[in-house]
Amino acid sequence: MFTSGLQHVAAMYAGVVAPPMIVGPACGLSPTETAFLMGASLFTAGIATLLQTLGFWKVGAKLPFVNGVSFAGVTPMVAIGKAQSPGNALPIIFGAVIVAGLLGFVLAPYFSKLVRFFPPVVTGTVITLIGVSLLPVAFNWSQGGNDRAPDYGSLTNIGMAALTFLIVLVLRKVLRGFLQQISILLGLVAGTLIAIPVGITDFAAITKSDIIGFPTPFHFGAPQFDIAAIVSMCIVMLVCMTESTADMLALGKIVGRPADERTIEGGLRADTLGTAISPLFNGFANSAFAQNIGLVAMTKVRSRFVVATSGLILIVLGLSPVAASVISLVPLPVLGGAGIVLFGSVAASGIQTLASAAMEKGENSLIVAAAVGVGLIPIAAPTFYHHMPKDLLVVLDSGISTGCLVAIVLNLAFNHFGKGADTGEEADATESDGTKAAVMEADDGAPGEVSIPQQPNRRATDSGDPASAPAH
């Protein structure tokens, strides 16, 4: 459990610390204060992950989800930081995040009802976009992560990424059992060891880090509530909820337990409650991390308790800066090489879902074509929307969000309303049968009967105990 959990942490570590690394300087923080903000983000990510995997009452999807700081909030938070004085920026951001989290918690039961508008033609499109949207992150890491650095895109960085990529593939091919399950972690360790004599491993963080450092509540001041900032973060929260819904649907298919309305409601409650709590410990808005879905798909380790172990590791890292710095030893090019495999696995899962989406029925192929095309705009042309109002960029700069919205709207237009409604209903029925077949094929035969809505007598590996199975 520890090694598999550590593998999840290694895969998402850079994604958690990157937002505070960007927001901190924008708010006028010193390097020491920014490091404190990074530790706080790790700590709050651990709390949010435990809420999502273990849960209580009606909180938590109880799926193997890792939660962390959402990138969707970076742009508006940087804008808030630049518009406010250094002493007020973070308190205003934290106040807005608290309100946004509480609003999302209230809206979760209603937002989860949108699951009926996510047939396989929509979910397959969104899952594919999730993977494709993450691949540029891996490519950036492979080049060094900082496009202003003199060695960005150097032969050394790309060579290390390529070597790590090959090591992961070879390990997946030759290893068996438990070692195959942690092949990503072994690949990261091997790549890091090779990177030491190459000279791209930085040990400075370990020498400057404290052994223990608790994220003092409201370290940067009591939260302040600014209307404009609150509106911006509430929009971010809706974007996060949309992406988390898509992520839950994706992971549900991968683990053989399709996410129903109740599961999504619990997952959104965990996301939003974690977001509302995070500012208490100097953290930001949290959402599910899509990169870890690829790890679940690749390793077939579907236990939510393994990911709960990841949450505990994140909390320890947040409480011990020196421990966190050990994970940060993994050079970004090494992480990028492994990330190409991880994120590609997510896209492959989406393509597999689309294969069962009755593309020959109705206008399903047109829905996929339009949604993927629009979703790829922020990826292929990052400045495409740069003349749009800044408030709209929160949604438009996310290919996952725009592609998801287009897929939902077109599915409604072609398959639920108008002259194509009857054909669409037939297609949806066929898609449902195809999804059931895909789930059966994906099942690895692990013991344990769980009850899946509309799929009686299907064997599936639940991500926890029988109590976590979705109710009818």
Side-chain angles (χ1 to χ4, degrees):
M1 286 180 69
F2 176 79
T3 50
S4 296
L6 184 62
Q7 186 170 235
H8 274 285
V9 173
M12 54 85 73
Y13 179 89
V16 173
V17 300
M21 287 175 63
I22 298 170
V23 175
C27 294
L29 300 188
S30 66
T32 302
E33 291 173 323
T34 300
F36 178 90
L37 205 61
M38 292 164 57
S41 294
L42 290 168
F43 181 79
T44 55
I47 293 176
T49 299
L50 292 179
L51 287 173
Q52 191 67 269
T53 53
L54 301 181
F56 67 94
W57 184 57
K58 296 181 180 181
V59 175
K62 296 181 181 177
L63 288 171
F65 259 126
V66 177
N67 276 42
V69 183
S70 172
F71 269 96
V74 171
T75 299
M77 287 192 294
V78 168
I80 294 170
K82 292 180 177 179
Q84 303 293 331
S85 62
N88 292 330
L90 280 177
I92 289 176
I93 290 173
F94 291 149
V97 171
I98 291 173
V99 174
L102 294 176
L103 175 65
F105 189 85
V106 172
L107 292 178
Y110 308 100
F111 202 92
S112 64
K113 296 183 185 300
L114 296 177
V115 68
R116 70 188 67 179
F117 302 122
F118 284 82
V121 68
V122 174
T123 57
T125 301
V126 174
I127 296 167
T128 303
L129 281 173
I130 290 172
V132 174
S133 297
L134 288 170
L135 281 171
V137 177
F139 301 151
N140 182 50
W141 288 347
S142 298
Q143 296 176 86
N146 181 7
D147 59 1
R148 298 180 180 178
D151 64 342
Y152 184 75
S154 66
L155 183 61
T156 300
N157 288 342
I158 294 177
M160 280 305 309
L163 181 59
T164 305
F165 176 79
L166 291 174
I167 289 174
V168 170
L169 293 180
V170 170
L171 291 177
R172 283 290 299 178
K173 177 64 178 177
V174 302
L175 297 179
R176 294 291 181 271
F178 170 71
L179 292 178
Q180 186 183 61
Q181 293 172 356
I182 63 168
S183 58
I184 292 290
L185 181 62
L186 295 177
L188 291 174
V189 171
T192 303
L193 292 176
I194 296 172
I196 293 175
V198 173
I200 62 173
T201 304
D202 186 4
F203 292 91
I206 291 182
T207 60
K208 297 178 181 178
S209 300
D210 297 326
I211 297 177
I212 298 176
F214 184 78
T216 312
F218 298 131
H219 177 80
F220 298 98
Q224 300 177 25
F225 301 96
D226 178 83
I227 297 298
I230 289 173
V231 170
S232 295
M233 295 311 300
C234 284
I235 295 173
V236 169
M237 194 74 259
L238 292 175
V239 172
C240 291
M241 293 171 74
T242 301
E243 293 187 359
S244 288
T245 298
D247 290 342
M248 280 183 269
L249 291 167
L251 186 59
K253 290 184 180 297
I254 289 170
V255 303
R257 188 192 127 188
D260 60 2
E261 183 178 314
R262 190 172 180 179
T263 301
I264 291 174
E265 179 182 338
L268 293 178
R269 278 199 174 110
D271 276 358
T272 54
L273 181 59
T275 294
I277 293 174
S278 288
L280 173 64
F281 301 103
N282 313 287
F284 303 119
N286 287 297
S287 65
F289 264 44
Q291 51 260 55
N292 293 87
I293 298 175
L295 192 56
V296 174
M298 184 175 177
T299 64
K300 293 183 172 60
V301 177
R302 305 172 178 183
S303 171
R304 63 188 173 104
F305 298 109
V306 165
V307 178
T309 304
S310 303
L312 293 174
I313 294 172
L314 287 168
I315 290 175
V316 171
L317 294 178
L319 295 174
S320 177
V322 69
S325 63
V326 172
I327 300 293
S328 68
L329 285 178
V330 180
L332 284 179
V334 172
L335 197 59
I340 293 173
V341 181
L342 287 176
F343 305 158
S345 298
V346 179
S349 297
I351 294 171
Q352 183 179 12
T353 302
L354 286 175
S356 65
M359 298 293 286
E360 75 283 0
K361 300 291 185 179
E363 303 293 344
N364 283 347
S365 60
L366 180 61
I367 294 171
V368 174
V372 170
V374 173
L376 286 176
I377 289 176
I379 304 168
T383 61
F384 188 85
Y385 298 115
H386 72 288
H387 284 307
M388 296 291 183
K390 291 184 178 180
D391 291 339
L392 290 179
L393 294 180
V394 176
V395 177
L396 296 176
D397 279 344
S398 170
I400 299 171
S401 298
T402 53
C404 180
L405 291 173
V406 170
I408 292 173
V409 171
L410 292 183
N411 178 62
L412 287 173
F414 291 137
N415 291 337
H416 292 272
F417 303 113
K419 63 180 182 180
D422 294 336
T423 305
E425 288 171 3
E426 179 185 350
D428 284 350
T430 306
E431 288 169 355
S432 179
D433 292 339
T435 302
K436 293 177 185 179
V439 170
M440 289 183 65
E441 292 173 4
D443 185 15
D444 62 1
E449 298 282 336
V450 296
S451 178
I452 300 177
Q454 301 179 353
Q455 297 191 53
N457 301 321
R458 296 288 192 261
R459 297 178 66 222
T461 49
D462 185 27
S463 43
D465 52 30
S468 68
H472 288 288

